[in-house]
Amino acid sequence: MLEDIYTELIAEHSRATENRRQLPNATVKERGHNPSCGDDITLEMEISDGVIKDAAFIGQGCAISQASTDMMIELLRGKKVDDAKKLAELFINMIKGNITDDDALEPLDEAAALKNIANMPARVKCATLAWHTFLNAKDLELKP
């Protein structure tokens, strides 16, 4: 049952097109690339007054990387940059297996469904690519 929900979420988010686009008013762009498997994304964000007004991505990769990117964008859109960073760190710690408590993971919403990737070491980089890309984005705080 839980495995079915996980599989369905991955499929749904990996095929979603709403967040897969260029963002004409992007104030921050950051590329994330995993040379070991070929996942390659460019994350674009419109940040104003310390809030992620909009976000989108272009690129390609496996279903897990694409689904995780889509989930991240949906979760972070509308959040203050500092709050978004905390969510990204929570997600990465979940995928690394450092945080497993469901209550602690509740702020991740649907992205918490990827928790069991912690048990698949070969997929950890796929799931965390977008989240690391977000955290590595230059000038997050410098945008007006």
Side-chain angles (χ1 to χ4, degrees), residues 39-77:
D39 293 340
D40 193 343
I41 63 162
T42 299
L43 179 63
E44 299 185 354
M45 295 173 283
E46 179 186 349
I47 299 175
S48 178
D49 298 323
V51 174
I52 301 168
K53 301 289 186 188
D54 200 3
F57 77 104
I58 54 172
Q60 65 280 334
C62 69
I64 290 173
S65 76
Q66 301 295 283
S68 184
T69 304
D70 189 67
M71 288 178 187
M72 180 192 78
I73 287 172
E74 288 190 5
L75 184 65
L76 301 188
R77 185 182 287 123

Side-chain angles (χ1 to χ4, degrees), residues 11-140:
E12 177 185 322
H13 282 279
S14 69
R15 289 189 308 255
T17 58
E18 176 189 335
N19 298 319
R20 189 185 303 267
R21 58 190 162 83
Q22 288 194 291
L23 201 59
N25 299 322
T27 56
V28 174
K29 289 184 182 184
E30 187 72 23
R31 179 176 178 232
H33 178 65
N34 180 355
S36 65
C37 69
D39 293 340
D40 193 343
I41 63 162
T42 299
L43 179 63
E44 299 185 354
M45 295 173 283
E46 179 186 349
I47 299 175
S48 178
D49 298 323
V51 174
I52 301 168
K53 301 289 186 188
D54 200 3
F57 77 104
I58 54 172
Q60 65 280 334
C62 69
I64 290 173
S65 76
Q66 301 295 283
S68 184
T69 304
D70 189 67
M71 288 178 187
M72 180 192 78
I73 287 172
E74 288 190 5
L75 184 65
L76 301 188
R77 185 182 287 123
K79 301 275 192 302
K80 292 182 178 181
V81 171
D82 287 343
D83 294 337
K85 284 181 175 182
K86 289 175 188 163
L87 289 168
E89 289 165 1
L90 176 61
F91 181 86
I92 290 166
N93 277 305
M94 173 190 75
I95 296 297
K96 288 182 176 178
N98 298 337
I99 300 174
T100 57
D101 179 62
D102 287 339
D103 290 338
L105 299 174
E106 197 170 307
L108 294 176
D109 197 32
E110 283 187 334
L114 301 179
K115 178 170 94 170
N116 290 332
I117 288 176
N119 302 323
M120 298 181 271
R123 294 315 216 162
V124 166
K125 286 183 179 180
C126 303
T128 59
L129 176 64
W131 304 80
H132 281 297
T133 302
F134 167 72
L135 289 173
N136 291 333
K138 296 164 196 66
D139 304 330
L140 280 178

